Amino acid sequence: MNREIVFIVYVSDIEASVAFYSDLLGLDTDFVSPRYVTFALGAGVSLALWTGNSAALEGAPARTTEVCLNVPAGEVAATFEQWKGKGVTVLREPYEEVFGSTFVVADPDGNLIRVAPID
């Protein structure tokens, strides 16, 4: 059976969000439509940005999910400094968690992005 896993992030401005994620994660798009854009992450796995449900972003919704980028443990602090230099909104500076050093930033819509060490 063919399968693909797509992680969808709701955004309000597709062009601004594509630019943000492309720059931050160093990814190129692999599918582009007016309200839905994907980035291939690996065989059968994609990150999608979608404006089709952007009404869910109105007000101050609780953020109960995160996009997480895993990097080698020694690169967490350097990634934080690099992203901070890009002007991202830092929600939590690097701190120690049970899995190692980690930090959390937000995209332009307040969606959470965590960096943590590769397990």
Side-chain angles (χ1 to χ4, degrees), residues 1-118:
M1 173 187 329
N2 284 339
R3 292 183 183 208
E4 184 173 307
I5 297 174
V6 179
F7 298 95
I8 300 173
V9 177
Y10 299 159
V11 299
S12 59
D13 182 329
I14 196 72
E15 291 177 8
S17 293
V18 167
F20 175 85
Y21 280 90
S22 293
D23 179 54
L24 196 68
L25 302 177
L27 296 173
D28 293 321
T29 59
D30 71 327
F31 176 83
V32 177
S33 73
R35 298 183 316 138
Y36 183 83
V37 175
T38 64
F39 301 90
L41 301 177
V45 181
S46 296
L47 173 65
L49 306 176
W50 184 40
T51 61
N53 201 21
S54 61
L57 298 169
E58 293 175 8
R63 305 297 181 177
T64 59
T65 61
E66 301 173 342
V67 171
C68 183
L69 173 68
N70 292 114
V71 299
E75 294 179 18
V76 173
T79 302
F80 175 74
E81 292 302 326
Q82 179 186 15
W83 288 15
K84 190 173 154 187
K86 292 176 183 275
V88 300
T89 301
V90 175
L91 300 179
R92 188 136 188 218
E93 294 198 7
Y95 67 99
E96 290 302 311
E97 191 51 83
V98 296
F99 46 79
S101 183
T102 186
F103 67 90
V104 181
V105 301
D107 77 0
D109 288 297
N111 296 303
L112 306 179
I113 305 168
R114 176 180 299 277
V115 172
I118 295 171

